[in-house]
C-alpha cells in the first residue's frame, strides 16, 4: 500500500503571504504509459466535505482560484497558496489515486497568523 | 444541479448492520466510478471502497479495514450508490461521504456526508 505523508501538520500565514504544504508518497505514483502523476489535493473547511483543488499533481480543477498551484515529481509534491486569503483557512489533504487503497495524507491545517 | 445526497446513517450497536444510500442527480451516473470515503470525528480522510461502472463489470475494491464486512454496490437505473455495512465496530464511527470519481481517478464531487455512530 502507498503511504502519503504531509508536512507541516499545521501552519499560520499572514494574509497576502504564501503558504506551502509538502506531501510525500512512499512509492512512485508516476504512471509511465501516460507520464502522469496520480496525486490530488483537497481543501476541507469546517463542517464541509472536501473539495478537489488540484489533480494530476498540477492541474487546477475548474473554478479553483489561480492562487492555488501544485507541483512535484516522483514521490515529492507541493501545494502552494500564493497570497493567502481569509477564506483559505482549512485543512488540506493530498491523495494518491495511482492504486487502491487510494490513500490520503494526514492533512495540514492552515490558519491566519 | 449536480448533486450527491447520502442517507441512512444513524446509531447502531457493535456487531450490527446498516445500509447507506447515495442519490445522484445532475449527471450521467452510470458513466462514473463511485466511491465511499469516511472521516472519523476530528480525524482525517479514509478511503473505504469503490464500485466501477458497467463497462468495468461493476468490479469493486475495498480498504483492508472493511474488506469482508462492507459491500459497495450501485443501481444505475435508480442513480444510486449503496454501502452495506455488517459486523460494525466502534472504530467504524465516522461521517461517510459518497464520492464521484472523475476520469483519471481524482475525486471531483462529494456529498455532504451521513454520520454513522457505532456504540452500545
Amino acid at each position: 500500500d502507498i503511504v502519503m505523508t504531509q508536512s507541516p501538520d499545521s501552519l499560520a500565514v499572514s494574509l497576502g503571504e504564501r503558504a506551502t504544504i509538502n506531501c510525500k508518497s512512499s512509492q512512485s505514483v508516476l504512471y509511465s504509459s501516460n507520464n502522469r502523476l496520480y496525486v490530488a489535493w483537497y481543501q476541507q473547511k469546517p463542517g464541509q466535505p472536501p473539495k478537489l483543488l488540484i489533480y494530476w499533481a498540477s492541474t487546477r480543477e475548474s473554478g479553483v482560484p489561480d492562487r492555488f498551484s501544485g507541483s512535484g515529481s516522483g514521490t515529492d509534491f507541493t501545494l502552494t497558496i500564493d497570497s493567502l486569503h481569509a477564506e483559505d483557512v482549512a485543512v488540506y489533504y493530498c491523495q494518491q489515486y495511482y492504486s487502491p487503497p487510494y490513500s490520503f495524507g494526514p492533512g495540514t491545517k492552515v490558519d491566519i497568523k | 444541479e449536480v448533486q450527491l445526497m447520502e442517507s441512512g446513517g444513524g446509531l447502531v450497536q457493535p456487531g450490527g448492520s446498516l445500509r447507506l444510500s447515495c442519490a445522484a442527480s445532475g449527471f450521467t451516473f452510470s458513466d462514473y466510478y463511485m466511491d465511499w470515503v469516511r472521516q472519523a470525528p476530528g480525524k482525517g480522510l479514509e478511503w473505504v471502497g469503490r464500485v466501477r461502472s458497467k463497462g468495468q463489470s461493476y468490479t469493486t475494491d475495498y480498504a483492508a479495514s472493511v474488506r469482508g464486512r462492507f459491500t459497495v454496490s450501485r443501481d444505475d437505473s435508480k442513480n444510486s450508490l449503496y454501502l452495506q455495512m455488517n459486523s460494525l465496530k466502534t472504530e467504524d464511527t465516522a461521517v461517510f461521504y459518497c464520492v464521484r470519481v472523475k476520469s483519471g481517478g481524482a475525486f471531483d464531487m462529494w456529498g455532504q456526508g451521513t454520520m454513522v455512530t457505532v456504540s452500545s
Side-chain angles (χ1 to χ4, degrees):
Chain A
D1 295 358
I2 299 174
V3 176
M4 305 296 283
T5 56
Q6 288 181 233
S7 63
D9 295 336
S10 64
L11 74 162
V13 176
S14 300
L15 291 172
E17 297 301 306
R18 173 178 293 180
T20 302
I21 302 169
N22 300 300
C23 174
K24 182 183 287 285
S25 59
S26 61
Q27 63 190 72
S28 175
V29 292
L30 174 66
Y31 194 38
S32 56
S33 66
N34 59 12
N35 201 37
R36 290 191 182 272
L37 292 160
Y38 281 59
V39 166
W41 289 93
Y42 301 86
Q43 174 193 64
Q44 187 177 31
K45 297 180 180 180
Q48 296 184 19
K51 172 188 174 183
L52 176 64
L53 296 177
I54 302 284
Y55 59 99
W56 298 138
S58 61
T59 301
R60 207 176 299 113
E61 176 72 336
S62 174
V64 173
D66 60 8
R67 64 180 180 273
F68 291 91
S69 63
S71 63
S73 60
T75 60
D76 292 279
F77 307 94
T78 300
L79 174 70
T80 301
I81 311 172
D82 283 322
S83 186
L84 191 78
H85 287 41
E87 60 263 33
D88 300 334
V89 169
V91 178
Y92 293 84
Y93 296 92
C94 62
Q95 181 216 15
Q96 65 83 16
Y97 50 97
Y98 180 85
S99 65
Y102 304 107
S103 45
F104 294 87
T108 295
K109 186 176 183 181
V110 174
D111 274 319
I112 304 297
K113 184 186 293 183
Chain B
E1 181 188 4
V2 179
Q3 194 172 4
L4 296 170
M5 185 172 297
E6 303 92 340
S7 60
L11 174 64
V12 61
Q13 292 187 337
S17 297
L18 207 59
R19 189 196 197 206
L20 305 183
S21 299
C22 171
S25 58
F27 64 98
T28 306
F29 178 75
S30 59
D31 285 349
Y32 291 85
Y33 297 0
M34 296 296 298
D35 287 21
W36 289 96
V37 174
R38 69 183 178 183
Q39 187 169 35
K43 303 298 184 182
L45 302 169
E46 181 187 16
W47 175 78
V48 172
R50 168 172 293 180
V51 60
R52 296 178 178 82
S53 59
K54 182 179 181 180
Q56 298 297 317
S57 303
Y58 299 123
T59 54
T60 55
D61 282 310
Y62 297 95
S65 58
V66 306
R67 192 176 297 126
R69 299 188 299 123
F70 289 12
T71 302
V72 182
S73 62
R74 63 192 296 163
D75 185 337
D76 290 346
S77 69
K78 295 181 179 179
N79 291 336
S80 292
L81 175 72
Y82 305 102
L83 181 65
Q84 177 66 44
M85 303 185 292
N86 299 330
S87 303
L88 281 160
K89 307 175 181 179
T90 55
E91 53 263 40
D92 293 319
T93 294
V95 173
F96 283 74
Y97 294 103
C98 167
V99 178
R100 188 179 79 171
V101 183
K102 68 184 291 173
S103 176
F107 296 1
D108 71 337
M109 186 185 311
W110 299 63
Q112 288 299 309
T114 187
M115 182 70 201
V116 172
T117 303
V118 185
S119 175
S120 54

